Amino acid sequence: LGLDVVALRRLRGAAARLAAIPCLAEATVVALLSVAFFRFPPSWAALLGFAVAAVSPAVVVPSLLKLQDEGYGTATGIPTLVVAAAALDDVLSLAGFGVALSFCGLGSRRGVLPDALWADIMGAPLELVAGIAGAAVGAAILERRPA
C-alpha cells in the first residue's frame, strides 16, 4: 500500500484515535437515532450503527495514494495515517458488529464458552487476543519466508 513504516510508528496513537473516536461516535449516534425514530431494540440499533460506521477503503485508499504520489502530506505522514486509520476503523466496526450480533441472539453459539451474558461480554476480549496472537504468528511466519 505504500505505507511509510517510520511515519506509522510515529503516528500510531493518532491513527488509533482517528479510527476509534469517529467510529464509536458514529455508531453511537446512529444507534440512538434508530432507537428514537425507528423504535429498534438497542442491540439491533447497535448492529445498524456499526454497519453504517464502517469506512470504505475502496473510497479512501486510492484517493490518498494518488495524493501521496503527488507529494501531498508525505513529509508529515498524513496519507499513511489516514490509510492505517481506515483499516483500524473497519476492524473496530466489524468487532462492534460481532459483539452487537451476539447480544441480538443471532450470533453463532459455538465454541467453548457457555450460552450466558457473561460469556458474551468475555467473548470479545478473548477473540481480540486470539486475533492478535494469530496475526503475530502469521507475521512471524511471513517475516522468515525468503523474498
Side-chain angles (χ1 to χ4, degrees), residues 65-86:
L65 291 179
K66 181 178 180 242
L67 289 172
Q68 184 177 4
D69 289 342
E70 294 173 5
Y72 292 107
T74 54
T76 57
I78 291 174
T80 297
L81 171 69
V82 176
V83 169

Side-chain angles (χ1 to χ4, degrees), residues 100-126:
L101 185 64
S102 70
F103 285 117
C104 287
L106 300 174
S108 60
R109 297 289 186 183
R110 301 179 307 225
V112 296
L113 293 177
D115 187 16
L117 178 62
W118 71 267
D120 286 338
I121 293 170
M122 288 304 298
L126 290 175

Side-chain angles (χ1 to χ4, degrees), residues 24-50 52:
L24 295 175
E26 188 174 353
T28 302
V29 168
V30 169
L32 291 174
L33 290 176
S34 62
V35 167
F37 290 124
F38 304 126
R39 302 191 191 281
F40 280 9
S43 57
W44 286 80
L47 280 175
L48 179 62
F50 281 110
V52 170

